[in-house]
Amino acid sequence: MNREDFIMLNKDIVYLDSASTSLKPKCVIDSMNDYYFNNTSNIHRGEYNEAILNNKLYDETKMEIAKFINCDKREVIYTSGCTSSINMFVLGYMKKYLKNGDVVLLSKSEHASNLLPWFNLSKEIGIKIKYIDLDSDYKLDYSSIDKLIKENNVKVISLAHITNVIGDIRDISYIGDICKKNNILFCVDAAQSIQHVKIDFKKYNISFLSFSSHKMMGPTGIGVLVGRYDLLEKMEPLFLGGDMNLDFESDCSYSFKEIPSRFEAGTMPIAEVIGLLNSIKYINNIGVLKIHSYIKELRDYLVSGLDKLDNIVVYNRNSDSGIVIFNVDKIFSQDVAIYLAHYNICVRAGNHCDKILKDELGVSNTVRVSLYLYNNKEDIDKLLNALKNIDKIYDIIL
Ligand SMILES: Cc1ncc(COP(=O)(O)O)c(C=O)c1O
């Protein structure tokens, strides 16, 4: 699908690592180059044409995000990425809101970015972390959520929408309803889902939603935090400085600008905001539903190909997203990745930033293939052919 838009594919490369970061279409790169070549300026500080154009694009990107996920434009905050979005609301809101003994529900298949900020709060203010059970496919066991809520003082549920190792898609509509009924805040890590499935911030009762631009074909260095307006009113800015203050005096008094400007201190990544605008437009032009069904077709093709190789164990055959993890019998996952790199096949190996999933999975390292819209069956055939000859691995990599 649209491979010609991705200049990097002109190299003889099989890119199967999109869950780490996606490739960027030419229109995204062109839009950023246009800012640097023709329209450089800061924002909210100048009266000249370029500055006014960039103010407009900065704002238009928020409107595009608001439309994309159904939220209010004032609920959209730019950050440096999903990790910084999660840290922003955990430190800026949760640290004050939560009290010693309050319970936060997570799962063991979360990314480090949706675990460590909460672990830090458990050390700092004594919140308790409980894990929602995983079933035999390493997906959420939804029945355990009710039980945990009945038995604990649950204040927050924080989960990835699509997990980055198992690749399961969580029913966030269902969990959002549970949270609403029980007056629980619902935080969704959308790093792996924003580019694959439809998200409705309002309908799913989400309190805080976080994602990165670089996994949705946009540039690195920019992410988004979407927070429910009434919660943002109580959230403290973590960074103070230019462009977020309304006024300050020599007696140390100061006041903040309105929401969300007060959360965007200093010069923001302007070219990246413009790049993100174009990546969202690019996704919209194709349609997330179409992207999702295309990836599912590729994924099924990949899993059935892996099934035909007898030395491979696939751990997440019943997931729905473009993420497939496996191991080759008796070969360390990193060695498999080095071997595949010999054929210009890019995959990821290791624990994929989740160091506690091993408690459930029984292994700490796997090879991860992650597919996106520019992949095709030929890419998968190249991977399968390389894996067929893996008995030659040590002739090649040593
Ligand atoms: C599920 C999930 N959450 C959070 C992150 C962190 O994203 P970033 O590194 O862009 O901040 C990732 C990155 O892989 C992820 O997969």
Side-chain angles (χ1 to χ4, degrees):
M1 201 190 271
N2 303 44
R3 276 170 78 87
E4 65 287 352
D5 294 338
F6 296 86
I7 307 301
M8 198 161 134
L9 295 177
N10 292 342
K11 297 206 289 189
D12 181 24
I13 197 172
V14 177
Y15 191 77
L16 300 174
D17 196 21
S18 294
S20 287
T21 197
S22 61
L23 301 182
K24 327 298 173 200
K26 189 169 176 302
C27 63
V28 166
I29 300 165
D30 284 347
S31 70
M32 294 171 68
N33 280 343
D34 188 49
Y35 167 84
Y36 283 120
F37 284 134
N38 305 313
N39 283 309
T40 299
S41 81
N42 212 319
I43 49 156
H44 304 157
R45 292 155 172 85
E47 310 308 327
Y48 45 94
N49 290 340
E50 290 74 8
I52 288 163
L53 171 69
N54 289 322
N55 287 347
K56 197 172 140 284
L57 290 171
Y58 193 83
D59 205 49
E60 188 185 331
T61 309
K62 288 205 174 169
M63 289 194 283
E64 196 72 24
I65 293 167
K67 256 197 300 173
F68 193 55
I69 57 160
N70 188 27
C71 69
D72 192 299
K73 190 184 83 152
R74 296 170 310 159
E75 295 176 315
V76 177
I77 301 163
Y78 298 132
T79 66
S80 66
C82 187
T83 302
S84 91
S85 302
I86 298 174
N87 277 277
M88 183 180 277
F89 74 78
V90 170
L91 293 172
Y93 182 85
M94 297 295 176
K95 195 170 170 180
K96 227 172 48 177
Y97 168 72
L98 294 174
K99 303 278 173 294
N100 186 297
D102 286 347
V103 171
V104 174
L105 298 187
L106 305 170
S107 83
K108 287 195 179 169
S109 54
E110 301 307 307
H111 187 278
S113 298
N114 189 33
L115 292 169
L116 296 181
W118 300 107
F119 289 5
N120 179 36
L121 278 200
S122 84
K123 274 199 182 154
E124 287 210 7
I125 58 172
I127 63 160
K128 284 196 196 134
I129 306 294
K130 300 263 175 185
Y131 299 102
I132 299 168
D133 290 344
L134 301 183
D135 66 15
S136 55
D137 284 326
Y138 316 108
K139 296 181 182 180
L140 280 189
D141 173 358
Y142 292 91
S143 65
S144 80
I145 301 179
D146 278 340
K147 193 164 174 281
L148 283 162
I149 292 174
K150 275 192 196 110
E151 290 170 0
N152 297 282
N153 183 26
V154 176
K155 286 288 173 63
V156 179
I157 298 183
S158 186
L159 293 169
H161 186 184
I162 298 185
T163 59
N164 63 306
V165 187
I166 300 301
D168 54 317
I169 305 176
R170 270 87 181 259
D171 188 345
I172 58 168
S173 165
Y174 175 75
I175 304 169
D177 281 348
I178 295 184
C179 288
K180 192 172 182 195
K181 268 188 218 124
N182 292 281
N183 200 21
I184 291 169
L185 294 180
F186 184 30
C187 310
V188 175
D189 168 357
Q192 297 293 348
S193 62
I194 189 85
Q195 65 283 38
H196 282 277
V197 285
K198 184 84 192 112
I199 297 177
D200 191 318
F201 181 79
K202 283 197 185 127
K203 190 167 152 207
Y204 301 157
N205 298 306
I206 299 172
S207 313
F208 291 100
L209 178 89
S210 309
F211 59 91
S212 290
S213 130
H214 70 96
K215 294 185 199 282
M216 57 188 304
M217 298 182 289
T220 55
I222 169 128
V224 173
L225 171 63
V226 183
R228 223 174 62 202
Y229 195 81
D230 63 305
L231 303 175
L232 294 184
E233 284 181 309
K234 294 181 206 121
M235 187 166 97
E236 286 180 2
L238 298 184
F239 299 104
L240 277 65
D243 207 28
M244 58 76 71
N245 71 80
L246 190 62
D247 199 12
F248 56 91
E249 298 295 340
S250 51
D251 65 357
C252 301
S253 60
Y254 57 84
S255 58
F256 298 144
K257 277 191 181 165
E258 73 287 2
I259 295 164
S261 303
R262 70 174 61 159
F263 302 113
E264 294 172 354
T267 297
M268 298 300 284
I270 301 160
E272 286 75 7
V273 168
I274 296 168
L276 172 59
L277 172 64
N278 285 283
S279 77
I280 296 173
K281 285 184 176 170
Y282 189 87
I283 291 176
N284 278 335
N285 280 340
I286 300 170
V288 251
L289 286 178
K290 196 165 161 201
I291 295 172
H292 183 54
S293 65
Y294 179 68
I295 307 277
K296 271 189 79 167
E297 187 190 322
L298 279 188
R299 180 205 154 83
D300 290 349
Y301 184 74
L302 168 62
V303 172
S304 71
L306 289 171
D307 277 348
K308 291 187 189 112
L309 306 176
D310 46 24
N311 52 351
I312 305 255
V313 185
V314 178
Y315 296 95
N316 62 339
R317 56 185 331 93
N318 297 323
S319 289
D320 285 329
S321 74
I323 291 174
V324 177
I325 51 163
F326 63 90
N327 269 324
V328 184
D329 193 25
K330 299 192 180 72
I331 303 179
F332 184 49
S333 63
Q334 221 88 33
D335 288 347
V336 175
I338 295 168
Y339 166 77
L340 292 173
H342 176 79
Y343 297 103
N344 290 335
I345 299 172
C346 312
V347 297
R348 180 160 168 192
N351 56 49
H352 320 294
C353 289
D354 180 358
K355 297 193 164 88
I356 57 176
L357 181 63
K358 65 176 182 316
D359 300 356
E360 308 281 325
L361 203 58
V363 290
S364 28
N365 296 301
T366 55
V367 180
R368 182 180 74 183
V369 168
S370 49
L371 304 163
Y372 204 40
L373 54 84
Y374 34 73
N375 291 123
N376 58 18
K377 289 188 176 162
E378 219 172 278
D379 288 340
I380 293 171
D381 289 340
K382 285 182 186 163
L383 170 76
L384 294 171
N385 277 336
L387 289 172
K388 261 180 214 155
N389 297 317
I390 195 132
D391 50 322
K392 302 200 185 71
I393 180 169
Y394 294 112
D395 299 338
I396 287 172
I397 71 169
L398 290 181

Short mmCIF file of all heavy atoms in Angstrom, two decimals, residues 19-20 81-84 86 111 113 160 162 164 189 191-192 212 214-215, ligand 1:
data_model
loop_
_atom_site.label_atom_id
_atom_site.label_comp_id
_atom_site.label_asym_id
_atom_site.label_seq_id
_atom_site.Cartn_x
_atom_site.Cartn_y
_atom_site.Cartn_z
N ALA A 19 6.78 -1.05 15.00
CA ALA A 19 6.35 -0.78 16.38
C ALA A 19 7.43 0.01 17.13
O ALA A 19 7.14 0.69 18.11
CB ALA A 19 6.04 -2.07 17.11
N SER A 20 8.68 -0.08 16.65
CA SER A 20 9.75 0.76 17.24
C SER A 20 9.61 2.17 16.74
O SER A 20 9.52 3.12 17.51
CB SER A 20 11.14 0.26 16.83
OG SER A 20 11.43 -0.91 17.50
N GLY A 81 6.88 13.14 23.41
CA GLY A 81 6.61 11.75 23.02
C GLY A 81 5.70 11.10 24.05
O GLY A 81 5.36 11.71 25.07
N CYS A 82 5.34 9.86 23.77
CA CYS A 82 4.41 9.16 24.66
C CYS A 82 4.95 9.06 26.09
O CYS A 82 4.22 9.24 27.06
CB CYS A 82 4.16 7.77 24.08
SG CYS A 82 2.90 6.85 24.93
N THR A 83 6.25 8.78 26.20
CA THR A 83 6.85 8.65 27.53
C THR A 83 6.69 9.95 28.31
O THR A 83 6.32 9.94 29.49
CB THR A 83 8.37 8.32 27.39
OG1 THR A 83 8.48 7.11 26.63
CG2 THR A 83 9.04 8.16 28.73
N SER A 84 6.95 11.06 27.66
CA SER A 84 6.85 12.33 28.39
C SER A 84 5.38 12.65 28.67
O SER A 84 5.05 13.24 29.70
CB SER A 84 7.62 13.45 27.70
OG SER A 84 6.84 14.14 26.81
N ILE A 86 3.00 10.47 29.46
CA ILE A 86 2.59 9.69 30.65
C ILE A 86 3.21 10.29 31.90
O ILE A 86 2.53 10.50 32.92
CB ILE A 86 2.96 8.19 30.49
CG1 ILE A 86 2.20 7.59 29.28
CG2 ILE A 86 2.63 7.41 31.76
CD1 ILE A 86 2.56 6.16 28.92
N HIS A 111 4.31 -1.39 28.46
CA HIS A 111 5.64 -0.85 28.16
C HIS A 111 6.20 -0.19 29.43
O HIS A 111 5.43 0.30 30.28
CB HIS A 111 5.48 0.19 27.05
CG HIS A 111 6.76 0.73 26.49
ND1 HIS A 111 7.46 1.74 27.10
CD2 HIS A 111 7.45 0.41 25.37
CE1 HIS A 111 8.52 2.02 26.37
NE2 HIS A 111 8.54 1.23 25.32
N SER A 113 7.22 2.60 29.91
CA SER A 113 6.73 3.98 30.09
C SER A 113 5.38 4.04 30.79
O SER A 113 5.01 5.08 31.31
CB SER A 113 6.57 4.66 28.72
OG SER A 113 7.82 4.72 28.10
N ALA A 160 -2.19 -0.03 28.02
CA ALA A 160 -1.97 0.20 26.59
C ALA A 160 -3.21 -0.25 25.84
O ALA A 160 -3.86 -1.23 26.21
CB ALA A 160 -0.77 -0.61 26.11
N ILE A 162 -3.09 -1.08 22.47
CA ILE A 162 -2.48 -2.27 21.84
C ILE A 162 -1.11 -2.43 22.51
O ILE A 162 -0.36 -1.46 22.62
CB ILE A 162 -2.29 -2.08 20.32
CG1 ILE A 162 -3.65 -1.89 19.62
CG2 ILE A 162 -1.55 -3.27 19.71
CD1 ILE A 162 -3.60 -1.81 18.10
N ASN A 164 2.78 -3.63 23.12
CA ASN A 164 3.90 -3.57 22.18
C ASN A 164 4.65 -4.89 22.03
O ASN A 164 5.51 -5.01 21.17
CB ASN A 164 4.87 -2.46 22.57
CG ASN A 164 5.50 -2.69 23.91
OD1 ASN A 164 4.81 -2.90 24.90
ND2 ASN A 164 6.82 -2.70 23.96
N ASP A 189 -2.61 4.27 27.01
CA ASP A 189 -1.35 4.44 26.29
C ASP A 189 -1.61 3.99 24.85
O ASP A 189 -1.75 2.79 24.57
CB ASP A 189 -0.29 3.57 26.99
CG ASP A 189 0.99 3.43 26.17
OD1 ASP A 189 1.04 3.96 25.04
OD2 ASP A 189 1.92 2.78 26.67
N ALA A 191 0.32 4.45 22.19
CA ALA A 191 1.51 4.49 21.34
C ALA A 191 1.43 3.51 20.17
O ALA A 191 1.88 3.81 19.07
CB ALA A 191 2.76 4.20 22.18
N GLN A 192 0.84 2.33 20.42
CA GLN A 192 0.80 1.32 19.35
C GLN A 192 -0.56 1.26 18.65
O GLN A 192 -0.75 0.45 17.74
CB GLN A 192 1.12 -0.08 19.92
CG GLN A 192 2.52 -0.22 20.49
CD GLN A 192 3.62 -0.13 19.43
OE1 GLN A 192 3.36 -0.17 18.23
NE2 GLN A 192 4.85 0.01 19.87
N SER A 212 2.82 8.94 20.60
CA SER A 212 3.99 9.55 19.97
C SER A 212 3.73 9.72 18.48
O SER A 212 3.08 8.87 17.87
CB SER A 212 5.21 8.62 20.07
OG SER A 212 5.67 8.54 21.39
N HIS A 214 6.12 9.61 16.15
CA HIS A 214 7.05 8.86 15.29
C HIS A 214 6.58 7.45 14.96
O HIS A 214 7.10 6.82 14.04
CB HIS A 214 8.45 8.83 15.91
CG HIS A 214 8.57 7.97 17.13
ND1 HIS A 214 9.00 6.67 17.08
CD2 HIS A 214 8.31 8.22 18.45
CE1 HIS A 214 9.02 6.17 18.32
NE2 HIS A 214 8.59 7.08 19.16
N LYS A 215 5.59 6.94 15.71
CA LYS A 215 5.06 5.61 15.38
C LYS A 215 3.88 5.72 14.42
O LYS A 215 3.32 4.72 14.01
CB LYS A 215 4.65 4.89 16.66
CG LYS A 215 5.83 4.57 17.59
CD LYS A 215 5.38 3.78 18.77
CE LYS A 215 6.34 3.82 19.94
NZ LYS A 215 7.50 2.96 19.79
C1 LIG B 1 3.00 0.69 24.20
C2 LIG B 1 4.07 1.74 24.25
N1 LIG B 1 3.99 2.72 25.15
C3 LIG B 1 4.90 3.71 25.22
C4 LIG B 1 5.97 3.73 24.39
C5 LIG B 1 6.97 4.83 24.51
O1 LIG B 1 6.98 5.61 23.36
P1 LIG B 1 8.15 6.70 23.12
O2 LIG B 1 9.43 5.94 23.21
O3 LIG B 1 7.88 7.21 21.76
O4 LIG B 1 8.00 7.72 24.18
C6 LIG B 1 6.14 2.72 23.44
C7 LIG B 1 7.32 2.67 22.56
O5 LIG B 1 7.66 1.68 22.01
C8 LIG B 1 5.15 1.71 23.36
O6 LIG B 1 5.24 0.72 22.48
#
